[in-house]
Amino acid sequence: MSMIVTPNANSKMAEIAEKVRNGERLSLEDGVFLYETDDLLTLGQLANEANLRKNGKKVYFIENMSLYFTNVCEARCAFCNFRKDLGDEGSYTLSGQEMIEYVEQHIHPGVREFHIVGGHNNHMPFQYYVDSLQALTDRFPDVTLKAYTAAEIEFFTRISGLSTEDVLKELQKAGLKSLTGGGAEILSDQYRKKMKVEKANVEQYLDVHRTAHKLGMKTHTTMLYGSIESHEDRIRHMMQIRELQDETGGFLVFIPLSMQPRNKNAGIMRRNSAYEDLKTIAISRLMLDNINHIKAYFINIGPQLTQVSLSFGASDVHGTIIKERISHAAGALTPEGLTRDELIWLVKGAGRIPVERDTFYNEIKVYE
């Protein structure tokens, strides 16, 4: 058994370390304590040990491409700078053919996943969203469609009059294979009211994923942190995801998303600190003992901190992306995408083994 890195007389940290090493589940109190401790090195070591037990030194990435059919949105969430009203300068809604033309201009050999999210455009019928996927399926049949957030699925139920299950079945017929993780924000109705999250509530978000899992889909899930929520709110969020995973086993990965300021010129005091980002990744790894992967999202925390996070519990560095828009509209200062070679270099630089994967974490190539 390895020793705690930092000499620490705190009995609570020693108790948590013992739990982690014995495979015992951490409690709400444990999670809040880990956010409040200044012992970052011991926290990181415990998360690293937990990750190594699950994944060894393998770190996963995918050749993917982010697509956005529309930025017109009925919701006005306080943190979003991506949305537009119909007719606003810069607003757009692409047809399937227009998206195909965009993809053909930007795609490169090896892309195996389209990551598709967008606005809740209530000026378009549900069939538009089905046809959007069908157009991509017909033109790029070998590329997996990971499309729409749980909040978008809930929106589709309202504009179509269909049940969640029927909406998902219609999208599956058009080629949908997995749901993206967005729309979770913080799973607290009080938080959602304060932050004007004008989309799926907590139960609706969880129910969409529950239904998708029952239909055989594996999905992704997120947490957007760094605004008004408390540490307890974050831990309760993780625990709700953990409970649903106990029930369905359908989540592939948990993605902590560091909140971006609305202004790209915002100073460091308006952004999450590196300390907070590393803590959140490590705590996610320790709390979510039943999810295989924790993703370090370089779009929000930057490539360098992503590399460091591989020693703090992360086992996934996302993918090539090509041109990310939502976080960059909100003030992200990071690259809009990275190449396969850059991702391999990033992972190897952390002393880990890069593994190219598909959407479902099947290994495509191991770069020893």
Side-chain angles (χ1 to χ4, degrees), residues 5 15 53 66 87 141 160 168 176 225 248 251 322 325 365:
V5 170
E15 176 189 324
R53 284 196 297 271
S66 290
S160 69
L168 289 169
L176 179 69
Y225 66 93
T248 68
F251 288 122
I322 299 180
R325 295 185 188 178
K365 184 174 180 179

Side-chain angles (χ1 to χ4, degrees), residues 351-363:
R352 302 294 164 118
I353 302 169
V355 180
E356 187 174 350
R357 63 171 175 86
D358 67 8
T359 300
F360 308 103
Y361 287 84
N362 297 306
E363 296 183 3

Side-chain angles (χ1 to χ4, degrees), residues 28 47 50 68 74 94 101 129 141 168 179 194 211 267 302 330 341 346:
L28 172 66
Y68 311 86
E74 66 171 9
L94 302 182
E101 291 170 2
Y129 298 94
L168 289 169
L179 297 183
K194 288 182 179 179
T211 304
D341 287 344
L346 184 150

Side-chain angles (χ1 to χ4, degrees), residues 333-359:
L333 301 175
T334 55
E336 293 179 330
L338 292 174
T339 67
R340 178 202 281 126
D341 287 344
E342 287 172 325
L343 289 168
I344 292 169
W345 175 89
L346 184 150
V347 173
K348 284 189 172 182
R352 302 294 164 118
I353 302 169
V355 180
E356 187 174 350
R357 63 171 175 86
D358 67 8
T359 300

Side-chain angles (χ1 to χ4, degrees), residues 11 42 50 67 98 108 153 170 185 203 205 213 242 261 274 290 292 303-304 312 318 328 331 357:
S11 59
T42 297
L67 304 180
E98 287 172 324
H108 57 76
I153 300 300
E170 287 300 306
E185 323 315 356
E203 187 49 47
Y205 178 90
H213 297 166
R242 190 172 71 183
N290 55 0
N292 283 340
Q304 288 86 354
F312 281 74
H318 197 54
H328 284 87
R357 63 171 175 86

Side-chain angles (χ1 to χ4, degrees), residues 133 194 220 248 301:
L133 297 191
K194 288 182 179 179
H220 305 65
T248 68
I301 66 174

Side-chain angles (χ1 to χ4, degrees), residues 19 62 87 92 133 184 196 205 213 261 264 290 307-308 311 355:
K19 278 188 174 182
I62 189 169
Y92 65 87
L133 297 191
K196 300 179 181 178
Y205 178 90
H213 297 166
K264 285 191 176 186
N290 55 0
Q307 188 178 56
V308 175
S311 294
V355 180

